[in-house]
Amino acid sequence: MAMTEKYFRRIIDNVKTAVIAVDENAKATFVNRAFRTLFSGAERGKLGAVTACAGDAKHCGQSDCCRGCALYGAFEDAFLSNKEVSRRIFQKVKSGGQTREVSYSLTVTPLGGGICMGAVDDAFELEISRELQTAKNIQQRLLPAGKWAGGKKYSFMYIPCREIGGDLPDVYESGGSACGMIADVSGKGISAGMLTAFVKAAYDKTAQSPAKAIANLNAKFRELNLDERNYVTVAAVRIDKDAVTYSMAGHNVPILLKTKTGITRIMLNSPPVSNWFDNPTYFDDSISYSPGDILVLLTDGVTECRNGRGEMFGADGAIKTLSYSRTADDFIKNLENNLKNFCENLNDDITAIAFDL
C-alpha cells in the first residue's frame, strides 16, 4: 500500500495542473511540482504558507483575515457540503520581497477521509501573472539609481499605467557632464516593456552629442527590422557648465526651462526612432541657463492626461506647476500631486525628469 501511494504521489507530482491536498485544519498534506512553481510558497504547512499568502499565513484557518478569504472559503465550503466547489480566487501573495495581487480559478473536490483536493484550472494565467511581476521588478531596475549626476541634482517620476510600462527615464554622467534621456515607445504592456529594455541597452551613453546618441540608437533600432507600428520618441540633454545641449526625436512635448524671465519652451524636432525614413537627421541645439533654473523632460502621458470632462492637463499644466516650484524635487512632487488631483484614472505612462541647474 505504501508503495502504491508513493507511485500515485509521483504521478500527481508530474501532472501539469497545479494540485494541492488540504485537510480540515487548513493544512496542506501534499502539493505537486506545478503548484510549488506557481506560488513559490512553502512545500508544506498551512494553506496560507504554501500559497505565499500576504496575510496571516502562520495562523491560516484561525486568524480574522480567513473570514473573507475566498481560497480558505472554497475549501471550507467543500468540506461542509461534501460537494465539488468552483471559485474565482483573488489573492494577495508575497513574491520576491513584494506583495502582488493574483487571480485564478480553483476547483475543490472532497476526497473523503478529511481531505479535499484543489486544482488550479487556469495555471497558465497565474504563471503569466507571476512572470509579469518578475518583468516589472526587472524594469524597475532600469530606472535611474541616484539623485546626482555630473554635479547636478535631479528628481524623476515614473508611474506606469500597467504593470509593464512603455516609458524610460535615464540619467547618467558622461565626460563630467550630467546627461538625461527620456523615451516613450509605441504600444503598451509586455511588448512595450521589451522595447524599453532595448532602448536602455542600445542608447549610446558615450556620445558627447545628444543628436549622435539618438542617431546611433536609430541605427541599432533599424537592425531589429520591426514593422512601421513600432517606434520610439526621445528627448536627450547634456548639461555643461553654462549651457544645455539638447536633441529631440519625434518627442513633441516641450522641454521646459525656468529662468528669471519665465518659462522657455524649447522647440526642436526630428522624426522618431523608427523604420519610417532611410536616413533621418537629428540635430543638436543649445540654450544657456542660470543657477537656480530647472530643466524638465516630460512624456506625453503628462500633457495628454485627461480628467473626467475630457480636458487635457496639457503643457500649460506642466508650465504652471513649474512656475511655482523652487527645486527639481519640488516640481516632481507638485506635478505628481496635480496629476492625481486632475485625473483619477491614469490611462498612460506618466514620466518626468527634472534637473536643478
Side-chain angles (χ1 to χ4, degrees):
M1 186 67 179
M3 184 65 71
T4 301
E5 180 180 350
K6 177 181 177 181
Y7 280 111
F8 273 133
R9 282 178 171 267
R10 183 177 296 177
I11 291 170
I12 297 174
D13 199 38
N14 285 279
V15 169
K16 299 302 181 182
T17 300
V19 175
I20 179 174
V22 177
D23 67 15
E24 294 176 307
N25 296 315
K27 183 178 180 180
T29 59
F30 174 78
V31 292
N32 71 347
R33 184 181 295 118
F35 193 96
R36 294 193 299 271
T37 300
L38 284 178
F39 288 93
S40 302
E43 292 192 13
R44 56 178 59 87
K46 292 285 189 176
L47 181 60
V50 297
T51 58
C53 176
D56 189 2
K58 184 177 180 180
H59 300 97
C60 184
Q62 301 172 337
S63 64
D64 292 338
C65 68
C66 292
R67 296 175 183 173
C69 176
L71 176 62
Y72 177 78
F75 281 97
E76 186 178 46
D77 290 348
F79 277 118
L80 292 175
S81 66
N82 198 33
K83 295 180 180 179
E84 185 175 276
V85 172
S86 295
R87 296 280 168 79
R88 186 68 179 174
I89 309 297
F90 297 90
Q91 183 183 4
K92 289 185 177 181
V93 300
K94 293 181 179 179
S95 175
Q98 295 185 343
T99 299
R100 63 187 176 97
E101 294 184 356
V102 298
S103 64
Y104 53 94
S105 297
L106 180 74
T107 299
V108 180
T109 304
L111 301 179
I115 298 292
C116 278
M117 179 187 75
V120 179
D121 295 335
D122 51 2
F124 181 71
E125 180 181 339
L126 185 58
E127 184 174 4
I128 289 295
S129 174
R130 183 169 61 86
E131 292 300 325
L132 278 174
Q133 182 62 37
T134 300
K136 180 180 179 180
N137 293 339
I138 293 173
Q139 192 172 59
Q140 288 293 319
R141 296 176 183 273
L142 301 181
L143 300 178
K147 292 293 184 181
W148 291 85
K152 301 297 183 183
K153 190 175 182 180
Y154 69 91
S155 186
F156 75 95
M157 173 176 62
Y158 173 69
I159 306 175
C161 68
R162 298 185 182 180
E163 288 189 346
I164 307 299
D167 285 357
L168 177 67
D170 200 8
V171 179
Y172 59 96
E173 180 178 340
S174 178
S177 299
C179 298
M181 181 272 287
I182 196 165
D184 186 357
V185 309
S186 57
K188 299 184 186 299
I190 296 175
S191 61
M194 293 179 68
L195 199 49
T196 60
F198 162 79
V199 173
K200 176 74 173 185
Y203 189 79
D204 186 2
K205 294 184 178 181
T206 64
Q208 286 298 299
S209 160
K212 179 63 175 175
I214 294 175
N216 291 345
L217 175 65
N218 187 75
K220 292 180 180 178
F221 180 89
R222 291 179 66 85
E223 292 177 1
L224 296 178
N225 198 30
L226 301 176
D227 63 39
E228 62 183 13
R229 293 173 296 178
N230 296 279
Y231 62 90
V232 184
T233 65
V234 183
V237 297
R238 189 188 75 242
I239 306 171
D240 296 315
K241 186 176 181 181
D242 53 8
V244 176
T245 301
Y246 61 93
S247 185
M248 302 172 74
H251 207 87
N252 58 2
V253 178
I255 299 173
L256 309 175
L257 183 68
K258 183 177 183 179
T259 69
K260 295 178 180 178
T261 57
I263 303 294
T264 301
R265 299 180 64 170
I266 304 170
M267 305 303 291
L268 170 69
N269 221 341
S270 292
V273 171
S274 64
N275 288 322
W276 300 350
F277 306 97
D278 289 335
N279 296 298
T281 302
Y282 300 100
F283 303 93
D284 281 328
D285 205 346
S286 63
I287 185 172
S288 60
Y289 67 85
S290 300
D293 287 350
I294 302 173
L295 178 68
V296 175
L297 287 74
L298 305 167
T299 60
D300 60 9
V302 174
T303 55
E304 296 179 7
C305 179
R306 294 181 181 271
N307 62 16
R309 297 187 296 274
E311 300 167 334
M312 288 199 304
F313 187 75
D316 290 340
I319 290 172
K320 182 178 179 180
T321 303
L322 182 60
S323 66
Y324 62 80
S325 299
R326 295 169 296 175
T327 65
D329 189 58
D330 193 28
F331 169 77
I332 293 297
K333 291 177 181 178
N334 290 337
L335 182 63
E336 183 172 356
N337 289 333
N338 289 347
L339 285 170
K340 288 181 177 178
N341 290 333
F342 183 80
C343 177
E344 292 183 2
N345 298 310
L346 302 177
N347 56 10
D348 200 356
D349 302 323
I350 303 295
T351 308
I353 306 173
F355 292 90
D356 284 321
L357 301 180

